[in-house]
Each structure stands twice: as structure tokens, then as C-alpha cells.
Amino acid sequence: MCVALPGLAISTDQGQLTGRGLDGFYRAGRRVLSRCQIRVAGREPVPVQARMTAADRARFVGTLRSSPQAGPDPDVVIERTRHADGTERITLHSAAVRPLRLPVEVALGTDLADLGAIASGNPGRELPATVHDSGLRWSSARGGSAVTADPPPVDALASAGLLRWEFALPPGGSASIELRVRPDGAGPVRAAGRAATSPLATARAAGDDPGVEALLGTSIEDLQALLLRDPAHPSDVHLAAGAPWRCGLAPAEALAAARMALPLGTRLAAGTLRTLARTQLPCQSPQSGMIPAPIRDAGTHLPPGCTGTEATLLFPTLLAEARRWGLPDPEIEELLPAAERCLTWLRTTVGDGTYLPDPHPGGPVRCETQAHAHRAALLGADLLDACGRPGGAELRQWAGALRTAFRADFWLDDLGGGRPAAARVPDGRLVPHLGAAAVHLLDTGLLGGGEQALGLLDKVQTEQLARLLGGPAMDSGWGLRGLGVKETGHSPFGHRSGAVRVHETALAVAGLAAAGYEKEASGLLRGVLAAAAAFGHRLPDMYAGERRTDGGAPLPHPAACRPAATAAAAGVLLLTTLTGIRPDAPAGTVTLRPVRSAPLGEIVLTGLRVAGAPFSVRVSRLGLAMVEEAADGLQLRA
């Protein structure tokens, strides 16, 4: 999967694009080329290697014996470099001791189908081609696309979709063909992540564990590949949810990923917030101040949830924390009215009650929704106070009442020590299943002076939740299951009912570490890092929650996005959690609360951004943290 949105190229490890399945080059969700098959001297190359060389590029190597009498060794090596921008370079290398004359054919075709139709098994027929300049062209009512070749082919057969060349290679010589596919009227892909001024710092990791360097590097590459521009405001960028299924804006996921990526700078957060502020429902709307977003499956025990609620609560949270990481005051002032409208929506929706209700009448009061609302209230109050705006005291008062009620109303006592309920239904009954949504109770958010905000659970309840999350029912060995293995409806492939979701696992690691439960945090951390290595350090958003075994590997989920914004940003959060960076840029301080057990040994992170300047930190094998680079005047707080 080569990604540089809006460009995308999907291939099997054979290298040949056959037109079957999802194979092809895509632009903005349309398949502009589905088939690209090479034959050299009348035969297909034997594939020997396929690997990603960057988030937007893949390299395929095949070999060929041009003459069966030449012995067992191949005498031609065919290298193909495929790029998400619609470019493919084919290079033939001769390993023969005699001159070779090699006829080359490339068979091309496309259906110009939408990705959604292809995914549902209805791509349509391949379209007839016409000869076009130095290549071929296809057209339909949906538009058209063309492939041009350099050097031009010696022959082009539209009826068969064939381009032909003939190369004479001396011993050790090589020859190349470059194919460029473009939709009609479109120029080269202008990927936001390839701009000279990226919103993400090019941070690096090093240390005793060799996987940390690859994980951080791949995570940043994938975040770059998923960047999109707001068409009406090109200077504002945000993250698409993931490829190939969700190459557009998903508000809750975009905000969550921008929040986890704050150690790479605040520009992504600012662009995401500005983009979503423009979608906020107007004052005359019944849901004034809400950020609209689609519903999302919630598993086997609860009806679908509204991601608009989550996005609306994440908006002031992200703005408040971006301020702590160094978002400039003018940008905070610009975004503050939208954050205030989100907080007003929260208080208006709660009304005289205690809990934030489900947006659908008769829906359940969800545990994670109360966690989002409580965090938004406390961080929002902190933001309002800092900016001299009213409303902070009212938000804190409501958050206090919510804490008192939640600790009594949402806790289920049992012989195992109890657990938080997943939800309360309108008649007061509790939905008792234990799932990964409970990790949001540990995600309290960052306040001033490096302090974490209060959580909804008390100390005893938090300790019990930590024990449950670190236990075998929830910890698969590869990360946190979406639903405990003993719960009814559990499935290792269930989106929200048993699969490992990387975002929630990272939140669990960060929340457990912040609360002092390093053993449980370290176990989950090692599991997801082992999974990352199995996935070439490009984590999907989810994978099967099967129990880890010696010599095993995590099972991919067929509906997962890879790369995915939340999974890539989770890689950043996992590694920065080890260093415990808690900045307070307005106060000119930074606090370090590293994981003292140093589960990965020594780790060094360089090129992060705090207060708008490079920031580097080292954690020793003894769990001691040291700042190695920081903004002038930034003080280390004890």
C-alpha cells in the first residue's frame, strides 16, 4: 500500500497489477489504472522480493532466464519502483555475459471504478483503450485516465491494451521505462505530506530496543502520507482516517491523532481544529456548537455511537493541550470561540442532569462518553481561565458532581474486585461487559505544571481497572482486546468486540503509566511493539485479538486500514510515554515523568517540538530522564 493522498497504489507482493481485487493506482478514490503486467522475452518475471521503501513507494524485484539453455541462474533482473503519485519505473538489468535483445510488453487496463464499488465486489468491466500520445487512454461517463511512457513504445495496440519496446542490453547493461498514469485534466499528485513545510517534525528515536527507531520513523512517514488539505483553505492540513477504506476526513479520528502527535509540533493540531471549526453547527441549529460526524459501531452490547459527540468533546481538549505544547496565542484566540461553543453545547445538552446523554432518544449513557465529557470540562475550564473567559467555574462544578455520581452509579461490585460498567440504560440497569472503551477513564488530560487532570474513578477503582486491563482476559499479548475474552459476544476479529485497536492500547499504556501502574503499562507496550515488528512497523488500526504464542504473529484484520492515522499517531504516543514529557509552554516549564522501570532499556528521542523549538530527551536504563535540547528559557520542573 503506497500512500501519498490523494494518491494511492495497492499491489500484491507479486508486483504485477492484475486488475483483480484492489490492485491498482487510485486518485481521490477512483481507480485510474487497474492492470499493469510485464512480460519480458514472452514470459512473466519470477517475483523474488517486494518491500516498502517509504510510505509512498514500493520496490518489486523479479528475475528471468532469457534462454532456457543458459543454466539455472537468471540473466535478467527486473526492478519495479511503484509510487503513490501514479509513477512506475521499470528497470531491466542484464546479468548475462553476452549481449541480450529483449522484447518487453506491458499490458495495461482500467475500469475507472470507485474504491467503494471495488470493495463491494462490483468494479465493472475493463474499458476499451485508445492510443494516446506515447501511451493509452480510457474514458467513461465518470471521466478518463491516460498512461504515458518514456521512452515512447515502438508499438501500441489499443485493442489489446499493449505497449511494446525492444531493448538491446550489453553485458551488465540496463534500460528503463517510466510509466505515468493521470486522470484526465489532472497534474501530478500534490501530496500535502510532501510539501516543503510539513506540519510534523522529523523526530528520531534510538536506544537499546532496535524497534523504536523503525516505529517512530514509520509512524511519522505514515502520518505524512495521510495528510490532506482543506480544499477551501489549502494552508490548513488534517489527517485522513486511513487507507484504503477511509481516505477522507473523520473528525473524531483526526482530532485523536492530532492530539497524540502533539510531540511533533502543534501545526497539525491547529490545521485540524480550524478545518473542523468551519463544520461546527450554527447557532440556529438544535445542536448548536456540535461538530457533525457519522455514527460508529459499538460492538455487540451497545447500539452504534455518535462520533460527533466524541469530536465535539475532543475539540476543546486538543486546543487546551496544544496550548501546553506551545500553540501560539494568536491561533488560540482564533480557535477559542469554536471551543467555547463546544463547551456550551456540552452544558446545554447535559442541562439539569448529571450525565451527558446519548444523542439518540432512549439511548444508553456510555462510560467513555462521560470520560470524554469530564476531561473536556476540566481542560476546557483551564483554557477559559487562562484566556480570561467566563464559564470555568461552572464546568468544574459540574465535573465534580459527575465524578461523585459516576463513582457510585457506574461501578459494579463483584467477587473479583469490581469493574466499571460499559453503560447505563434508561431504566438504570448497567451494561456490565468489560471492554477497551474503559481505557478512556484513564485518559484524563494535561493541565498546567505537568499535572494530569482528575479522573472519574477513585484510587481503589483505578487500581482495580489497571489490574483488569493487564490481565489475560484483556491483554492478548499483542495489545489490548476490544472486549474481554470471557465476555459474551467476544470475537477476536470483532471491530469493537475483541480485536486489538492500537489507539486504545496506546491510551491504556499512557494512562496506566501516568497513574503509576508501570507493570501493566509495560506489558501492553511490549505486546504492541512486538506486533509492530510483525507488521513491518506500519501498524494497522486493528488486528485480531488472538492469544500470543511463542513463535506466533498477530493476525491481520481484513477490514483494517494500514496505514491509519490513529495507529501511526499511537506509535508517537507509545514512545513519548516512556519519557513522560509534560510541557507547560505558557509557564515556560516542562516536567518529565518517565516510566521508571525502563521497559525498553535506554531510549533517546530527538527532534520533538516543545514551545515551538526542537526538544530532545534521554531516558537511561535506570529510568532517569535528562533533557538534551530545549527552547531557550524553557525550565525543567521537578
Side-chain angles (χ1 to χ4, degrees), residues 366-390:
R366 302 171 195 256
C367 166
E368 71 269 27
T369 299
Q370 310 317 306
H372 295 319
H374 182 260
R375 182 185 61 219
L378 291 182
L379 271 64
D382 186 57
L383 177 67
L384 294 176
D385 289 353
C387 296
R389 306 291 293 175

Side-chain angles (χ1 to χ4, degrees), residues 67 111-112 138 376 467:
S67 171
D111 48 19
L112 292 175
W138 301 265
R467 187 183 70 81

Side-chain angles (χ1 to χ4, degrees), residues 174-272:
S174 63
S176 294
I177 302 166
E178 184 167 280
L179 303 175
R180 293 180 295 277
V181 57
R182 302 279 189 269
D184 278 358
V189 170
R190 296 184 61 194
R194 293 297 164 189
T197 55
S198 170
L200 300 169
T202 54
R204 299 187 183 279
D208 291 339
D209 189 316
V212 300
E213 179 180 2
L215 178 61
L216 185 60
T218 303
S219 294
I220 294 173
E221 274 196 2
D222 285 347
L223 291 171
Q224 299 273 23
L226 291 169
L227 287 173
L228 289 174
R229 297 186 187 279
D230 185 333
H233 299 82
S235 61
D236 289 338
V237 295
H238 59 270
L239 289 165
W245 317 113
R246 306 178 69 203
C247 291
L249 173 63
E253 282 87 346
L255 288 163
R259 184 178 174 223
M260 291 188 286
L262 280 171
L264 303 179
T266 60
R267 287 182 55 207
L268 174 61
T272 304

Side-chain angles (χ1 to χ4, degrees), residues 595-615:
V595 177
R596 297 290 184 181
S597 57
L600 303 183
E602 184 178 65
I603 182 171
V604 182
L605 301 182
T606 58
L608 303 175
R609 305 288 292 185
V610 175
F615 185 87

Side-chain angles (χ1 to χ4, degrees), residues 195-554:
T197 55
S198 170
L200 300 169
T202 54
R204 299 187 183 279
D208 291 339
D209 189 316
V212 300
E213 179 180 2
L215 178 61
L216 185 60
T218 303
S219 294
I220 294 173
E221 274 196 2
D222 285 347
L223 291 171
Q224 299 273 23
L226 291 169
L227 287 173
L228 289 174
R229 297 186 187 279
D230 185 333
H233 299 82
S235 61
D236 289 338
V237 295
H238 59 270
L239 289 165
W245 317 113
R246 306 178 69 203
C247 291
L249 173 63
E253 282 87 346
L255 288 163
R259 184 178 174 223
M260 291 188 286
L262 280 171
L264 303 179
T266 60
R267 287 182 55 207
L268 174 61
T272 304
L273 290 166
R274 282 193 291 266
T275 299
L276 291 176
R278 291 187 280 268
T279 73
Q280 198 170 32
L281 296 179
C283 294
Q284 58 269 29
S285 167
Q287 293 291 327
S288 172
M290 190 178 192
I291 295 171
I295 62 171
R296 177 170 60 202
D297 175 63
T300 56
H301 295 276
L302 292 170
C306 176
T307 62
T309 297
E310 184 178 343
T312 307
L313 298 171
L314 269 170
F315 191 103
T317 295
L318 176 57
L319 181 58
E321 291 191 317
R323 176 176 173 270
R324 295 292 173 196
W325 282 89
L327 185 66
D329 288 342
E331 296 188 73
I332 295 169
E333 291 294 330
E334 175 192 3
L335 291 162
L336 187 60
E340 288 181 292
R341 289 191 289 271
C342 291
L343 295 170
T344 299
W345 172 87
L346 168 60
R347 292 297 297 124
T348 302
T349 306
V350 170
D352 295 330
T354 303
Y355 297 114
L356 180 63
D358 199 79
H360 306 291
V365 176
R366 302 171 195 256
C367 166
E368 71 269 27
T369 299
Q370 310 317 306
H372 295 319
H374 182 260
R375 182 185 61 219
L378 291 182
L379 271 64
D382 186 57
L383 177 67
L384 294 176
D385 289 353
C387 296
R389 306 291 293 175
E394 182 185 4
L395 286 166
R396 287 191 187 89
Q397 183 179 7
W398 171 74
L402 176 63
R403 274 196 305 279
T404 300
F406 186 93
R407 292 172 181 180
D409 294 346
F410 269 78
W411 191 260
L412 280 160
D413 288 313
D414 57 31
L415 295 177
R419 62 172 64 184
R424 286 175 67 91
V425 294
D427 64 6
R429 288 182 295 112
L430 295 177
V431 179
H433 75 270
L434 179 65
V439 305
H440 295 287
L441 294 169
L442 300 172
D443 178 20
T444 59
L446 182 64
L447 294 174
E451 295 299 319
Q452 297 288 118
L454 290 169
L456 281 175
L457 300 180
D458 62 27
K459 182 174 175 42
V460 173
Q461 292 170 336
T462 301
E463 182 176 0
Q464 172 63 4
L465 177 59
R467 187 183 70 81
L468 292 170
L469 294 178
M474 290 298 295
D475 183 358
S476 70
W478 299 115
L480 195 70
R481 294 186 174 99
L483 183 68
V485 73
K486 297 180 181 179
E487 306 291 338
T488 57
H490 169 84
S491 165
F493 283 95
H495 276 64
R496 304 276 167 179
S497 54
V500 173
R501 301 190 70 86
V502 174
H503 173 207
E504 289 172 331
T505 301
L507 288 180
V509 171
L512 289 165
Y517 300 100
E518 294 191 0
K519 177 183 176 183
E520 293 80 3
S522 297
L524 290 170
L525 171 68
R526 291 191 187 98
V528 77
L529 289 183
F535 285 111
H537 302 285
R538 171 182 266 188
L539 281 163
D541 59 342
M542 61 179 171
Y543 44 88
E546 286 203 333
R547 166 59 50 190
R548 182 178 177 182
T549 58
D550 290 342

